[in-house]
Amino acid sequence: MNRCSYSTVRLHRIRCAAGALLTALAVCGPSLAWAQAREVITFAGVTFSEAGRGDRLKAWVDKFNKSQNAIEVQPIALPFATLAKTVFTQMGGGAGPDLVRFDLMDFYAAVQAERILPLDDVIKTGDYKFAATDKYMMVGGKRYGVAFETSNYVLLYNPTLVKGGKAPASFDEFLASAKTTTGNGVYGYAYRATMAEAPGYWQDLCNFVYGFGGRWSDERGNPTLNSPKVIAGVAAYKKVYDAGITPKGTDAATYRRMFWERKLAMEIDNGGVAGIFTQQAPDLPLAAAPSPFPTRAQGLVYAPLTINANTKHKAAAATFVKWVMQPDNQRELQALLGASNVATIVDRSPEDLAKKPWLKVYDEQTSHSVPQLVQGLELKTPEIQQVVLENVLKVLQGGVDPKKAMDDAQQQVVSRVLRK
């Protein structure tokens, strides 16, 4: 066969193969060609990696995919310990997932680094019945995200272990009840108070300080670590430490297990933990109440949904964000997240409240919740946190006066962290 004949035969074969492919597409129906034409966007989040909730969340995202003809969202499961580092590295190289569920600390870092897009042209505040915590999505007068998950802190207690079967209504009642309960292998209360669990230690300390009316900074971002109300919160933390009501040195995983094993009467914890208790011990007597402090303010775990500034699919990503904000989808998202809240105010079903009455306590806490960050100095929080925890540890273990410890903390933050 000469070269010309060979070329003719080869061209014929290519045409036949192309025709066969088109025939196959026709036989398979339009679905394959439709799927290939869809615009794929990626969504990175910690929740996708969680047992139980991760699968439910993926199924929820798939509802969006089935509702669309031209867009498909692909979930990316990343663990909490590596998500921020992984995503920020990718963003620094001009890439990264199109959508990101950030931790609040990383959200502020992403805003400052201009790694995420303003959403004012996507989400109009007046169009939605936002929860009170939506204000934390506004930076410099611009919206950079919507809350994907909000988890509040309240007092969880076992009515069969607590004196009188009722939650304490004040801090003094709380201490008295915890002392009465403690004994025979049962403890009245548990919290974290070691540098080995510094992040959790910070969360628990924030609840005491906020509950006694203190804040780590004023409205202008000036540190207020030695204000009277902060000192009052630290002093209360010390009272609990000295009262003999806690399993000292026990980590959170252990004392949470003690709770569902009925060896712990009370703890202040977030909604995710309440959900774990009901899964681990469905018959556990579980109740919730506002934390027993002078004010209702408590910490807040807040996870915003954002759009990567590097995305090549802004319109598609915006379509998904708008879908997330639709009432029915907000309701389903809140239900699958458990005791957490979403961006808008969503009423629980009567069935859920009857089965888990503690949900109502968590929901009512939202308007009182405060981020566990130093307001106005959000990106300095890790450094300030280290200084505060080290000084509070001197109060707990070294007998240092709370006022002196917090005066020292204030001076160290101003000189070492803020360089003033």
Side-chain angles (χ1 to χ4, degrees):
M1 183 183 295
N2 59 38
R3 183 172 298 176
C4 182
S5 299
Y6 175 79
S7 298
T8 301
V9 171
R10 188 180 181 202
L11 179 61
H12 175 71
R13 288 175 177 172
I14 291 173
R15 286 172 174 169
C16 288
L21 177 60
L22 291 172
T23 300
L25 287 173
V27 171
C28 293
S31 60
L32 181 57
W34 171 68
Q36 290 177 331
R38 299 179 91 180
E39 184 177 6
V40 176
I41 57 176
T42 51
F43 177 14
V46 170
T47 316
F48 293 122
S49 66
E50 296 178 0
R53 290 207 314 173
D55 289 337
R56 293 195 296 271
L57 186 57
K58 289 174 185 176
W60 178 78
V61 170
D62 196 49
K63 289 190 65 175
F64 169 82
N65 293 335
K66 291 175 180 177
S67 73
Q68 302 294 308
N69 292 324
I71 305 171
E72 178 182 343
V73 174
Q74 291 185 350
I76 299 176
L78 292 173
F80 177 79
T82 61
L83 183 142
K85 183 177 180 180
T86 300
V87 170
F88 274 111
T89 299
Q90 294 171 343
M91 286 177 163
D98 302 286
L99 297 154
V100 185
R101 174 200 178 274
F102 270 122
D103 172 76
L104 190 58
M105 168 78 73
D106 300 318
F107 165 79
Y108 283 112
V111 171
Q112 185 180 73
E114 299 182 346
R115 299 301 190 198
I116 54 180
L117 295 175
L119 300 184
D120 299 281
D121 60 340
V122 177
I123 299 296
K124 305 298 182 184
T125 302
D127 293 344
Y128 304 93
K129 189 179 179 182
F130 279 108
T133 50
D134 182 65
K135 61 187 176 184
Y136 300 116
M137 295 293 87
M138 312 298 290
V139 181
K142 293 182 179 180
R143 173 181 294 281
Y144 285 89
V146 293
F148 193 76
E149 180 176 5
T150 301
S151 189
N152 302 310
Y153 284 76
V154 302
L155 179 74
L156 295 173
Y157 67 100
N158 183 330
T160 65
L161 298 179
V162 173
K163 182 179 179 181
K166 295 182 179 180
S170 69
F171 184 68
D172 288 341
E173 284 185 19
F174 159 74
L175 279 179
S177 178
K179 288 177 181 178
T180 300
T181 301
T182 301
N184 299 318
V186 176
Y187 289 89
Y189 185 70
Y191 66 2
R192 289 158 288 198
T194 66
M195 295 305 292
E197 285 199 293
Y201 174 17
W202 173 257
Q203 291 173 341
D204 293 343
L205 180 62
C206 280
N207 286 330
F208 274 68
V209 168
Y210 294 170
F212 276 80
R215 297 293 184 274
W216 303 117
S217 60
D218 62 22
E219 63 277 1
R220 293 169 294 181
N222 298 311
T224 56
L225 308 183
N226 59 347
S227 68
K229 291 181 178 179
V230 169
I231 293 171
V234 173
Y237 213 76
K238 170 69 168 172
K239 281 187 179 180
V240 171
Y241 191 83
D242 291 342
I245 60 175
T246 67
K248 289 184 180 178
T250 301
D251 62 21
T254 300
Y255 71 65
R256 286 166 177 164
R257 186 180 70 249
M258 290 172 62
F259 190 99
W260 80 64
E261 291 176 347
R262 309 188 188 203
K263 297 176 182 177
L264 182 66
M266 295 180 284
E267 66 177 87
I268 294 172
D269 229 321
N270 64 68
V273 173
I276 291 172
F277 289 164
T278 58
Q279 291 174 358
Q280 294 293 335
D283 297 328
L284 175 72
L286 178 64
S291 297
F293 302 131
T295 81
R296 287 287 300 272
Q298 290 289 263
L300 170 68
V301 177
Y302 202 71
L305 172 62
T306 65
I307 297 179
N308 186 349
N310 295 325
T311 184
K312 305 297 190 297
H313 310 280
K314 180 182 176 181
T319 297
F320 179 73
V321 172
K322 290 179 179 178
W323 180 86
V324 168
M325 295 300 295
Q326 292 175 10
D328 287 346
N329 301 325
Q330 285 277 282
R331 187 173 299 106
E332 289 186 29
L333 178 60
Q334 180 164 281
L336 73 86
L337 289 175
S340 297
N341 294 140
V342 286
T344 58
I345 298 173
V346 176
D347 294 329
R348 303 280 182 181
S349 70
E351 294 78 16
D352 279 346
L353 291 176
K355 186 177 180 181
K356 302 173 182 177
W358 42 266
L359 285 172
K360 186 174 186 291
V361 182
Y362 275 105
D363 290 347
E364 290 176 345
Q365 181 61 31
T366 299
S367 61
H368 304 284
S369 294
V370 181
Q372 297 156 340
L373 301 174
V374 183
Q375 298 296 292
L377 296 169
E378 288 85 3
L379 300 187
K380 296 288 186 182
T381 295
E383 298 169 79
I384 296 173
Q385 171 185 310
Q386 183 73 16
V387 171
V388 169
L389 295 183
E390 287 175 353
N391 280 280
V392 172
L393 203 60
K394 294 177 182 177
V395 174
L396 301 180
Q397 298 181 0
V400 175
D401 178 72
K403 183 179 187 310
K404 183 185 185 312
M406 298 319 293
D407 283 342
D408 290 346
Q410 176 78 7
Q411 188 276 326
Q412 291 165 16
V413 165
V414 170
S415 62
R416 286 164 34 186
V417 179
L418 304 183
R419 308 284 184 184
K420 292 183 180 179

